[in-house]
Amino acid sequence: MPCPAFLRIPVDETVTMGVRHPSEVTRVVPDRAPSSANTALVHAEAAYREAVGAAGEYAAARVASRIVGAEVLSTRRRVRALRRHWIPRLKTALARVELALEQTEHEDAVRRRWAARTPGRGTSGADD
């Protein structure tokens, strides 16, 4: 059974922290001509409009809270994985590369000193 038109509540969306979620509720409860001159009914109708609007706002806020909360939990998991696994692995790899680079630089310096001390040894040896 379709929802009556007076109960439809359009919801605008926004993006927070990269997550799309409901943000603003537009209260659309059409005015109707009073069916009787009973003031209690008029007050009840006004209270109904307020309650429907508040329920829509609450529902949008609750959904937004759940969506953003789920994204926060997911981000925490990713950060934890980075801190526990990826960062230590990358630090270890960086230390290995730095050590290899330092060793290569040291070997090059030794070769240059050795070549500087023995003139004529840097050639192919065809002169011997």
Side-chain angles (χ1 to χ4, degrees):
M1 182 161 117
C3 185
F6 62 88
L7 289 180
R8 294 191 189 278
I9 301 176
V11 179
D12 296 330
E13 290 187 339
T14 189
V15 176
T16 303
M17 295 172 39
V19 179
R20 180 175 299 281
H21 60 83
S23 64
E24 197 172 318
V25 174
T26 307
R27 296 182 185 195
V28 180
V29 182
D31 289 328
R32 357 177 281 161
S35 57
S36 68
N38 187 348
T39 58
L41 183 59
V42 172
H43 289 296
E45 233 177 65
Y48 164 78
R49 289 173 198 267
E50 280 298 311
V52 167
E57 289 174 4
Y58 172 77
R62 185 165 179 171
V63 168
S65 172
R66 285 183 178 174
I67 291 171
V68 172
E71 186 63 26
V72 166
L73 288 176
S74 175
T75 301
R76 281 185 187 156
R77 278 187 225 115
R78 283 186 239 130
V79 167
R80 189 172 32 245
L82 286 171
R83 286 186 179 154
R84 289 184 179 175
H85 302 288
W86 282 101
I87 292 174
R89 288 178 190 166
L90 293 173
K91 282 183 178 179
T92 302
L94 177 62
R96 286 182 188 149
V97 168
E98 286 176 342
L99 182 62
L101 180 61
E102 185 179 327
Q103 185 175 356
T104 302
E105 287 174 351
H106 177 70
E107 290 170 357
D108 286 345
V110 168
R111 282 189 201 110
R112 280 193 303 267
R113 277 183 282 172
W114 182 74
R117 276 191 258 151
T118 54
R121 293 285 263 180
T123 61
S124 64
D127 295 336
D128 292 344

